[in-house]
Amino acid sequence: MLRDDIKTATVTAMKAGDKDRTATLRLIGAKIKDRDIELRTSSKEVADDDLVTEVLQKMAKQRRESITMYVDGGREELADQERRELAVIDEFLPQMLSEEETKAAIADVKASIGADSIKDMGRVMAELKARHGAVLDMSMASALVKQSY
């Protein structure tokens, strides 16, 4: 399980004395615990690895946005810190579909649900998320779906 892999990596980083990696892994663990607490009051059931992947994807997205803002603001040292954190987060994320694989998935979904206009974009995106949610970059998929019409 992904959660166990993160705990093991945290212990390994602590024993190795890698403070940056340990801090990032502890941050990941804290975000996962926050999400667990959030789900206690919710009636929504989520598989454990899906929950961890969802948290990691959100954290990665936040890091990418921060890197862009820091670079634009001339704060390269902060951007470097975010890049290091992103590298650790990416280690635990599943391999994302390439652009070609995403295009193939979009074509498959469009054919299976009979989508033929931009009005069907919501249905196409919902089906893509249901089939490939953990390994699909939804922002790239959204742009490719728009291009396909």
Side-chain angles (χ1 to χ4, degrees):
M1 291 175 75
L2 209 46
R3 188 184 298 253
D4 296 333
D5 294 343
I6 292 169
K7 286 179 183 176
T8 303
T10 304
V11 170
T12 304
M14 286 175 11
K15 286 181 179 177
D18 189 347
K19 291 181 181 181
D20 287 340
R21 183 173 172 80
T22 302
T24 302
L25 290 166
R26 283 182 172 163
L27 183 64
I28 292 169
K31 291 289 184 183
I32 292 169
K33 285 180 184 175
D34 287 346
R35 188 74 168 106
D36 287 341
I37 292 167
E38 193 178 299
L39 286 176
R40 282 185 203 159
T41 60
S42 168
S43 61
K44 191 169 120 177
E45 296 264 337
V46 180
D48 192 54
D49 275 356
D50 291 344
L51 177 131
V52 173
T53 301
E54 187 180 298
V55 169
L56 291 171
Q57 286 174 332
K58 186 174 182 179
M59 289 179 73
K61 181 180 179 188
Q62 290 170 338
R63 297 305 175 283
R64 288 185 190 98
E65 290 170 356
S66 296
I67 290 168
T68 303
M69 289 185 344
Y70 288 143
V71 168
D72 291 347
R75 300 293 308 265
E76 201 57 44
E77 70 283 356
L78 294 174
D80 288 341
Q81 173 64 29
E82 295 290 322
R83 285 185 191 104
R84 287 191 296 274
E85 288 181 7
L86 181 60
V88 173
I89 293 166
D90 281 342
E91 288 177 32
F92 298 99
L93 280 171
Q95 185 63 38
M96 301 303 267
L97 294 178
S98 68
E99 187 172 339
E100 292 75 30
E101 292 168 328
T102 303
K103 286 179 182 178
I106 291 169
D108 181 45
V109 167
K110 284 173 64 177
S112 69
I113 67 171
D116 55 2
S117 74
I118 193 72
K119 291 179 184 177
D120 297 318
M121 183 174 170
R123 288 187 353 186
V124 171
M125 292 301 294
E127 186 64 23
L128 278 171
K129 185 167 184 158
R131 291 186 190 181
H132 308 285
V135 294
L136 184 66
D137 180 350
M138 294 305 285
S139 59
M140 177 177 66
S142 176
L144 291 173
V145 169
K146 285 178 187 172
Q147 287 176 359
S148 70
Y149 289 112

